[in-house]
Amino acid sequence: MANEEAAVLAAVGPRLRALRKQRGTTLTELADTTGISVSTLSRLESGQRRPTLELLLPLARAHQVPLDELVGAPAVGDPRVRPRPIVRHGMTFLPLTRRPGGLQAFKQILPPHTPADPQPQSHEGYEWLYVLSGQLRLRLGGHDLLLAPGEVAEFDTRVPHCVTNPGPGPTEVLNLYGPQGERLHVRARPSTG
């Protein structure tokens, strides 16, 4: 671990020199921009001075690069979620979250006229759904609603409910589901300070 840190720190000086030369900036110009003395900048670039956050922050600003680039931070892992489809009762569910528990997000695809014989179900939790395309019939307690693209429904899943696709084409829905007591919070406008 100490060897890795030493290697990262040793690479900062040459990286700083390369950035400065690439931009055609002299040590004096960089000193004027950052407020760091020419001798300190020279020692940083040659590896005779250990880089500190107080020195690296103004240098990152002056070179207009992220701090990660100055220190050669490792690349962040691939953030993409690669969902494995789950098919139930003719409907396809694509998980959009990786963590078990808490709020879950998934895309649901309902072929036309599915499910064939829906029976309202109830269970613990809270659900929010957004119709992306097609039509969605939501039976919720005593309500029978037809939702179009762009429409949203939010409900307690302890109320008996079921969703179907009454339309001639597929329906795509974005679902957010959470355990009972975890409701979604939407900020309608930015908070003021």
Side-chain angles (χ1 to χ4, degrees):
M1 184 79 160
N3 289 341
E4 289 176 30
E5 290 174 9
V8 167
L9 290 174
V12 172
R15 194 173 291 113
L16 288 171
R17 178 177 285 127
L19 273 170
R20 181 177 58 78
K21 290 190 177 225
Q22 180 182 4
R23 287 165 171 70
T25 306
T26 66
L27 283 173
T28 304
E29 292 168 333
L30 190 57
D32 290 342
T33 304
T34 62
I36 301 169
S37 72
V38 171
S39 64
T40 299
L41 290 171
S42 177
R43 286 183 293 151
L44 272 173
E45 288 185 1
S46 67
Q48 295 174 354
R49 170 90 190 244
R50 186 179 181 124
T52 63
L53 193 56
E54 289 81 14
L55 296 171
L56 293 176
L57 286 173
L59 288 167
R61 271 193 300 275
H63 290 306
Q64 297 178 341
V65 297
L67 187 59
D68 290 356
E69 191 174 318
L70 286 184
V71 296
V76 176
D78 188 345
R80 293 175 289 187
V81 175
R82 292 184 168 82
R84 289 200 169 105
I86 301 165
V87 179
R88 287 192 189 130
H89 310 293
M91 298 177 285
T92 303
F93 297 85
L94 297 165
L96 301 175
T97 50
R98 299 181 211 196
R99 285 185 319 142
L103 288 174
Q104 297 293 310
F106 55 93
K107 182 178 179 181
Q108 182 178 6
I109 303 167
L110 297 91
H113 311 293
T114 55
D117 187 23
Q119 295 302 313
Q121 304 288 321
S122 62
H123 50 88
E124 285 292 316
Y126 209 83
E127 188 166 346
W128 180 91
L129 52 87
Y130 176 84
V131 180
L132 297 166
S133 65
Q135 294 181 356
L136 184 74
R137 180 179 178 201
L138 171 62
R139 289 175 31 208
L140 178 64
H143 301 283
D144 193 348
L145 307 165
L146 188 61
L147 302 174
E151 290 192 293
V152 176
E154 179 183 18
F155 56 94
D156 185 324
T157 57
R158 291 179 297 179
V159 175
H161 63 281
C162 67
V163 295
T164 59
N165 176 2
T171 295
E172 295 184 347
V173 180
L174 177 63
N175 288 292
L176 296 176
Y177 170 78
Q180 189 58 37
E182 271 192 64
R183 296 185 64 167
L184 303 174
H185 302 279
V186 178
R187 180 178 288 166
R189 60 184 169 268
S191 62
T192 56

